[in-house]
Amino acid sequence: MSGFWTLFRRELAMAWGKGGGPIVAVAFYACVATLLPLAVGSSPQRLAAVAPGSAWLALALASLLSLERLFERDYEDGALDLLTLGPVPLEIVSATKCLAQWVSTGLPLALFTPIAATALGADTRLIPLTLASAALGGLGFAFVGGIGAALSLGSRRGGVLIAVIVLPLFVPPIILGGGAMAAMAGGLNWQPGFLLLGAYSLAAVALGPFAMAAACRNALS
Amino acid sequence: MIRQVQVENLAIVRGDRLLFEGLNFSLQSGQAMSLTGRNGAGKTSLLRAIAGFLRPAEGNIHFKGASGPLEPEEARAGGLHMAGHQDGLKSNRVAEDEFLFQARWTGATPGGIAKAREALDLDVIADLEVRKLSAGQRRRLSLARLIASPRPLWLLDEPLAPLDAAHRTAFGLMMQAHLAGGGMILAAVHDPLPIGTLSLEVGG
């Protein structure tokens, strides 16, 4: 347990340290959300119709931003060797890194999601569900994104490769999360979408670390 | 706790190049061995294979404890330190934070941390960012975890190269103390170590 906290604190310190990854991710999110009315037109009805889906799309894109550095910087400077020789197996190391990624970047983005969705014209009744589903979906984004980050270790243009690996895997949460919000806005039952989103994220938390650890071992050898 | 490392008929291939084959040696508790050889002979790869990062193309690496053979994973977890030119230090973090992380991650006790700070003279660089350290200061910072958290097997890759004369002597004494306490050292070197060692030519 002490190993977990040692690593978790380091990961948070690195995420919030110089470079301010989370702030950049939120700023990127704000930019995408601002560009949307310029692209589709500012008519309120039209914007309100696309607000939940666009908020989710922007969330998925913003979640990609800091993934590139998740394993890459430790791989480049040899810290991944050290992490391998620690008190816990690489599976727990990967899970800890993704959890820290979620806390440092996913949660700030989740806090911003209701703001963006409401600014685009989504109903204010949707705020609690938007916040909850963005936080839950962000957990899935962090763990699925971690798989892409580990798989692209050592490749040039890792960032683009991560996007190509990971974006198709982001399809279910975008459909389920955006769908739950659209269902609630339309007065339908939003629970199935939300619960399936939870199932997706928990599956990512349970299975992702094994894939990440295998990819890291492969990159180190 | 590892008391013996035995390498049998080891061959390592990188890409499609055979670095060496048929390598045999054994290292007992209290012994140090220098690995020599030309650049690219496979000294670092040998160290990485013993640390479990590389899978050898052929041959075996056995670890033995006081009560018989150890499973490789069991022996490596908490049983060895690997220190090389890839020091794992983050250039935008403060030296003290990086030292504490590396030491705690490898299982250091508060007593060990204080001892390492003293032995490697870390107080003068503690509040500097890693990017502002010289090569020798960086090396001292990354070697500090070896003192802070005792592990029996040290795998060192050119450990002394960037150190100044005084710190070379000091680290020599630390290596001697480590051997006297039953530890083992396997070091890839070009200049001889300041301690008595066995020696092995890699990729002769």
Side-chain angles (χ1 to χ4, degrees), chain A residues 3 6-7 10 13-14 18 74 76-79 81-88 93 220-221, chain B residues 14 48 51 53-54 80 82 86-90 92-93 98 101-102 104-106 129 145 151:
Chain A
T6 305
L7 180 60
R10 164 191 189 253
M14 278 174 17
K18 301 219 170 93
D74 286 333
E76 277 169 1
D77 64 16
D81 290 354
L82 181 68
L83 295 181
T84 310
L85 296 172
V88 295
V93 170
L220 284 175
S221 71
Chain B
R14 300 298 280 150
R48 293 184 66 80
F53 298 132
L54 291 188
L80 63 86
M82 168 115 187
Q86 291 270 69
D87 52 24
L89 297 169
K90 293 280 172 287
N92 58 354
R93 297 236 296 157
E98 281 294 277
F101 169 72
Q102 292 202 340
R104 286 184 186 141
W105 180 247
T106 49
E129 270 185 32
R145 67 171 187 268
R151 292 182 169 193

Side-chain angles (χ1 to χ4, degrees), chain B residues 132-201:
Chain B
K132 294 186 179 137
L133 301 182
S134 73
Q137 290 172 326
R138 270 184 88 119
R139 180 55 54 89
R140 271 155 54 200
L141 187 59
S142 65
L143 289 175
R145 67 171 187 268
L146 275 59
I147 307 299
S149 49
R151 292 182 169 193
L153 177 59
W154 289 4
L155 303 173
L156 309 175
D157 196 355
E158 283 289 341
L160 301 179
L163 296 183
D164 60 29
H167 287 104
R168 281 184 185 211
T169 313
F171 191 63
L173 294 176
M174 289 172 226
M175 288 197 281
Q176 248 155 13
H178 177 63
L179 296 176
M184 285 161 283
I185 298 176
L186 193 61
V189 290
H190 290 292
D191 305 322
L193 291 175
I195 52 173
T197 63
L198 308 168
S199 128
L200 178 73
E201 169 106 12

Side-chain angles (χ1 to χ4, degrees), chain B residues 4-12 20-28 31-36 42-43 45-51 59-64 153-155 184-188 198-203:
Chain B
Q4 189 195 3
V5 183
Q6 199 173 0
V7 167
E8 277 176 9
N9 193 30
L10 200 72
I12 290 184
F20 55 78
E21 59 185 337
L23 187 77
N24 291 291
F25 70 86
S26 127
L27 191 64
Q28 315 278 346
Q31 286 183 329
M33 183 179 278
S34 307
L35 303 171
T36 54
K43 302 185 290 292
S45 296
L46 173 59
L47 294 178
R48 293 184 66 80
I50 292 172
N60 290 303
I61 300 166
H62 297 292
F63 297 94
K64 286 200 188 107
L153 177 59
W154 289 4
L155 303 173
M184 285 161 283
I185 298 176
L186 193 61
L198 308 168
S199 128
L200 178 73
E201 169 106 12
V202 178

Side-chain angles (χ1 to χ4, degrees), chain A residues 105-128:
Chain A
T105 308
L107 288 183
L109 284 173
L111 283 176
F112 187 74
T113 305
I115 302 175
T118 310
L120 288 172
D123 197 323
T124 47
R125 283 183 305 117
L126 295 180
I127 288 177

